[in-house]
Amino acid sequence: LATIAKLPHGAVVLPGLDMDLDDASWSLIAGANDDETHDGRHERLPAAGHAQFAMQALLARIGIARRDVVQLSAPRPHGRDRLVSEALRPAATTERWQVRRAAKDFNAAADEAIAALSLIEAANAEEEALAIAIALREAVETPGKTAALVTPDRALARRVVAALERWRVPVDDSGGDSLADTQAGVFARLAALAALDGLKPVTLLALLKHPLLRLGAAEGAQDTAIATLERALLRGPRPRPGSAGLEHALSSFRANRDSLHRSDPRWLMADDEFDVAAELIARLAAALAPLENIKRAKPLSHFAACHRDVIAALGGDATGKVAAFANHDGAALARALEELSLSPSAAGLAVAASDYAELFHASIGERVVRRPEIHDVRVRIFGPLEARMQSIDRVVLGGLNEGTWPPETRSDPWLSRPMRRDLGLDPPERRIGLSAHDFAQGLGAPEVILSRAAKLAGAPTVTSRFVQRIAALAGEPSWKNVLARGNGYLDLARALDHPAEVKAAERPAPKPPLAARPLRLSVTAIEDWLRDPYTIYARYVLKLQPLDPVDTPP
């Protein structure tokens, strides 16, 4: 970049360069405080967590002053750039907030800057996603208006996409998902776990009820067999491990069915139900055989090749089409398995059968699957970096909690901060500075909505330091208006699934016709019904047989 800037026709564009920060504070970004290093020298530590840290270092590398940079366009009329510059100033100069707030024109400028700013403080992640979806949908009610969610939290992005589906609002999510979290990735992991972990009931049921399961038939053709297998074998004592254990358990149950107590509804299962369950077990055993027969350590490439065969057998229909390898996530899964099976390094890595499932899950965790691009939509989801190049009317900055935005700093266990500085490496806080720059860029939209969840997975969260700084600088009276605008979306989200009127269910009053009423009652049948009403209900109602007057309840 320094070379390009010095070429005769070269130019470097500096997005979001802060031109409002005073020179003294700007110089402190390169070093905020005096600190003694490991060799006794004194030097100033850089403020790597500042939003302009990278810009300041780049200008110093190029060799030009900030005042020599030419502005390409005028600042936005809302004046939010001045508020953000002041709120994110270096920590060593935050005492100047008192001086700026005492200025006559600052409070009026701050109120104008946050006039189109809202803050959603939801109770949990689900409520936050629903409130964001409402804000995005509200924007598209205006013809030609665009809206976008900007967040580094992919879980929040998926929740918002799911919430928008209830109104069939098309949304283009360019962030993508981890292959391990996609439908094909989950199916592949369940297949490996089921085959190599002894067909545990929970894992087996998750695999059998997965929408990508076919087992040589059409979608949904195995539902009856799966339900029979679950009722007969997977709701009681655990069968022996493996496919052979399922076969043995089914044959034993079939032989001893008549010895069950009459209160057990399984004694009513017909022989044809056992036949379809036995056929399901046979198909499942044949599909899992390549992985299930591995009993000792094998190369990772061998496991990957067998895993691909298992997925093809489990997800293949009658026409030979494999549902697990279809769509974008399926194609990415096929490429991942092919690379593992053909990789020379994987061929030299011996893996135990019990470790392959987790190793496979970790190997595909970093692969990102992009969703198909949707054109001509007005609602989009961006990551913080790609959002810099967009012009959106309404922007929602989601997931503003410590640990998410900004992310947690990862301390190097081998190199201390002075050692990293001596080696010319970036400090760990550099990621915080980049996140702060993304946050400042996102606040440049005409309408901005900030959002956070008070709890994630039941654990309390801490508000992002960026939001806390803006709230402290804006003042409590002005910030209450920001919260009030955000609470409007929360009220809509909470009222969305709340019924307008709650009606109690009426008391059942069956009135069968005279022709269907019994002509006589048996005392013993009444006693049986009072003692065990479920048996008669299961015998006649569930099996759809005509009700004998003898068994009619009083």
Side-chain angles (χ1 to χ4, degrees):
L1 290 178
T3 303
I4 294 173
K6 297 175 182 178
L7 292 175
H9 299 285
V12 174
V13 179
L14 304 176
L17 179 64
D18 189 352
M19 304 296 291
D20 298 310
L21 190 64
D22 58 276
D23 294 336
S25 300
W26 176 264
S27 62
L28 287 177
I29 296 177
N33 294 306
D34 290 337
D35 184 55
E36 184 174 351
T37 61
H38 62 280
D39 56 358
R41 293 183 290 108
H42 288 266
E43 61 181 6
R44 295 185 302 176
L45 295 177
H50 193 271
Q52 297 293 315
F53 174 75
M55 291 294 177
Q56 201 270 354
L58 178 59
L59 289 178
R61 179 66 177 269
I62 295 176
I64 63 173
R66 181 180 51 154
R67 60 180 178 273
D68 297 329
V69 178
V70 179
Q71 296 192 40
L72 296 180
S73 62
R76 291 292 180 92
H78 50 61
R80 207 174 294 136
D81 50 341
R82 296 179 55 191
L83 177 67
V84 174
S85 173
E86 188 67 25
L88 300 183
R89 67 166 44 251
T93 62
T94 51
E95 76 279 354
R96 300 190 182 186
W97 281 356
Q98 301 295 333
V99 179
R100 292 300 299 270
R101 294 188 62 180
K104 296 181 179 179
D105 60 338
F106 180 78
N107 291 331
D111 292 341
E112 182 181 359
I114 64 176
L117 188 66
S118 307
L119 174 60
I120 298 174
E121 286 192 325
N124 49 54
E126 291 75 15
E127 188 177 73
E128 179 188 11
L130 187 55
I132 292 175
I134 292 174
L136 297 176
R137 187 199 173 189
E138 182 189 48
V140 299
E141 294 295 328
T142 303
K145 191 174 184 178
T146 58
L149 167 64
V150 180
T151 179
D153 189 354
R154 291 304 307 161
L156 176 62
R158 288 193 295 268
R159 290 190 182 99
V160 173
V161 172
L164 287 171
E165 288 179 356
R166 68 190 301 169
W167 302 300
R168 301 186 183 276
V169 176
V171 54
D172 181 30
D173 184 6
S174 61
D177 300 309
S178 171
L179 179 57
D181 296 331
T182 61
Q183 196 176 55
V186 172
F187 182 73
R189 189 187 185 198
L190 287 174
L193 282 174
L196 298 174
D197 207 15
L199 292 178
K200 293 182 178 179
V202 175
T203 306
L204 177 60
L205 279 179
L207 175 65
L208 293 176
K209 295 186 178 183
H210 197 279
L212 295 180
L213 183 77
R214 297 294 184 272
L215 283 176
E219 182 179 3
Q222 308 289 348
D223 290 349
T224 302
I226 294 172
T228 302
L229 182 65
E230 180 180 3
R231 290 172 56 200
L233 303 181
L234 302 181
R235 293 293 179 178
R238 177 181 295 184
R240 297 176 183 176
S243 302
L246 283 180
E247 296 176 357
H248 176 267
L250 183 63
S251 60
S252 300
F253 176 80
R254 191 171 188 175
N256 301 323
R257 177 190 52 176
D258 294 337
S259 62
L260 293 174
H261 192 269
R262 292 301 180 263
S263 62
D264 192 336
R266 295 183 298 172
W267 76 278
L268 298 171
M269 297 177 63
D271 292 336
D272 56 345
E273 294 180 284
F274 289 107
D275 295 337
V276 295
E279 182 181 0
L280 173 65
I281 294 176
R283 292 190 178 190
L284 184 64
L288 299 178
L291 280 178
E292 197 174 14
N293 293 334
I294 300 178
K295 303 301 182 183
R296 60 182 64 183
K298 293 286 185 180
L300 179 60
S301 58
H302 178 75
F303 273 102
C306 295
H307 193 186
R308 179 184 176 87
D309 296 338
V310 169
I311 296 173
L314 291 172
D317 56 14
T319 62
K321 181 180 178 180
V322 182
F325 293 150
N327 301 326
H328 284 66
D329 55 344
L333 175 63
R335 288 194 300 269
L337 289 171
E338 183 178 4
E339 292 176 6
L340 280 177
S341 60
L342 300 179
S343 173
S345 58
L349 177 63
V351 178
S354 58
D355 297 334
Y356 171 73
E358 294 300 329
L359 182 60
F360 168 76
H361 181 74
S363 66
I364 66 174
E366 298 297 328
R367 294 176 177 263
V368 178
V369 179
R370 305 290 179 182
R371 300 189 181 189
E373 184 178 359
I374 305 176
H375 300 280
D376 300 329
V377 296
R378 291 190 287 144
V379 177
R380 300 181 182 274
I381 297 179
F382 297 116
L385 183 61
E386 59 185 340
R388 297 184 183 184
M389 304 299 295
Q390 312 298 328
S391 296
I392 305 296
D393 298 324
R394 172 177 290 184
V395 170
V396 180
L397 304 181
L400 287 169
N401 289 322
E402 288 291 317
T404 302
W405 198 346
E408 295 180 353
T409 57
R410 299 179 180 178
S411 300
D412 195 329
W414 308 109
L415 297 176
S416 63
R417 283 174 171 79
M419 295 172 64
R420 292 180 64 89
R421 185 169 62 254
D422 294 342
L423 293 174
L425 300 177
D426 290 331
E429 293 81 9
R430 177 177 171 83
R431 296 182 62 201
I432 297 180
L434 296 177
S435 297
H437 192 265
D438 295 335
F439 175 77
Q441 290 289 92
L443 287 175
E447 297 180 30
V448 178
I449 300 175
L450 312 176
S451 76
R452 62 174 296 267
K455 286 187 177 182
L456 290 177
T461 60
V462 178
T463 308
S464 172
R465 64 190 71 180
F466 309 142
V467 179
Q468 293 185 45
R469 279 172 166 255
I470 293 180
L473 185 61
E476 186 176 355
S478 300
W479 198 248
K480 285 183 178 179
N481 297 329
V482 176
L483 289 172
R485 288 189 288 269
N487 290 336
Y489 298 107
L490 287 176
D491 293 339
L492 292 175
R494 292 164 182 168
L496 191 61
D497 296 325
H498 191 275
E501 182 181 359
V502 179
K503 294 183 178 180
E506 297 181 359
R507 182 177 180 178
K511 297 179 181 179
L514 292 176
R517 299 182 185 182
L519 301 178
R520 60 189 180 88
L521 296 175
S522 172
V523 176
T524 56
I526 294 175
E527 292 178 353
D528 292 340
W529 176 270
L530 294 176
R531 184 167 48 250
D532 188 13
Y534 181 75
T535 301
I536 297 179
Y537 173 79
R539 185 185 306 168
Y540 294 102
V541 180
L542 294 184
K543 303 298 290 183
L544 301 179
Q545 295 179 0
L547 193 63
D548 193 330
V550 175
D551 291 332
T552 302

